[in-house]
Amino acid sequence: MLTGTDFGQLFKDFKRTAFRLETLSVYDVAEEQEEFAAFLAGEPMDDSWHDSPWVRSMTDLGKELSRVHVLRSPLTDYLRYELAAYPGNITAGENIGIIDLARQEVSGLPDHDFWLFDDAEVYRMHYTDGGQFIGAELLPPDAVARYQGYREIARKHAVPFADYRKTLPQD
């Protein structure tokens, strides 16, 4: 199981594409705690919210980064925070789609997060019940085709983030 720096190395090593399926309503990320509290307090976010340096570090190299977030409205405070950051990721080149299970029924997707790198390696993400990252498990090569199928189901049913955002109540 990969954690920390070892997991982070995957984002430097992939060559062409990285796709993520997100399924949780809360991610408990230690590095985000101060920013999350500031968001909840209505404070302005720093410049990285307008153009994500993390995403840009990959897309500037010609790599494709995409995700589909499967969620259920009404949104948790954490999801409001995460979705508020998505425009900066999109500016930096990430393609983001949303599946809101309160608005549409989608079958055939797993109930867990994963990353698919270069259509060659798939990592199942493991979290505590509270959303703390435990580690990323490299799945066997014969799982890749199944996870490619999950990606295609997610992409087929996802609403582009910009369209989904228009349907959200404005704060």
Side-chain angles (χ1 to χ4, degrees), residues 130-148:
Q132 290 179 326
F133 179 60
I134 297 170
E137 171 191 7
L138 176 61
L139 298 181
D142 64 353
V144 170
R146 183 171 68 252
Y147 281 82
Q148 289 171 324

Side-chain angles (χ1 to χ4, degrees), residues 7-149:
F7 179 65
Q9 188 63 40
L10 295 173
F11 298 94
K12 294 177 182 171
D13 291 346
F14 83 93
K15 304 291 185 228
R16 299 177 332 275
T17 63
F19 171 83
R20 178 168 187 187
L21 184 76
E22 289 183 296
T23 62
L24 300 182
S25 60
V26 174
Y27 293 89
D28 184 356
V29 181
E31 296 84 12
E32 293 178 347
Q33 293 307 311
E34 285 184 39
E35 186 176 75
F36 181 48
F39 172 82
L40 291 177
E43 297 173 13
M45 296 292 104
D46 68 31
D47 289 343
S48 69
W49 273 57
H50 306 291
D51 190 341
S52 171
W54 181 75
V55 172
R56 180 98 29 215
S57 72
M58 293 171 272
T59 59
D60 279 355
L61 298 174
K63 297 177 180 184
E64 178 186 310
L65 191 64
S66 63
R67 82 175 78 196
V68 171
H69 199 139
V70 180
L71 51 81
R72 183 178 301 278
S73 55
L75 301 178
T76 62
D77 285 344
Y78 183 85
L79 285 177
R80 287 188 316 101
Y81 161 76
E82 186 171 16
L83 271 58
Y86 282 174
N89 288 31
I90 292 167
T91 296
E94 184 176 5
N95 184 344
I96 300 175
I98 303 292
I99 296 175
D100 188 336
L101 296 175
R103 300 178 185 189
Q104 66 176 319
E105 193 174 314
V106 177
S107 60
L109 291 175
D111 64 352
H112 58 269
D113 289 26
F114 69 86
W115 278 99
L116 177 62
F117 294 99
D118 293 327
D119 279 327
E121 290 186 332
V122 62
Y123 287 83
R124 180 180 174 161
M125 308 297 287
H126 293 275
Y127 296 90
T128 66
D129 289 342
Q132 290 179 326
F133 179 60
I134 297 170
E137 171 191 7
L138 176 61
L139 298 181
D142 64 353
V144 170
R146 183 171 68 252
Y147 281 82
Q148 289 171 324

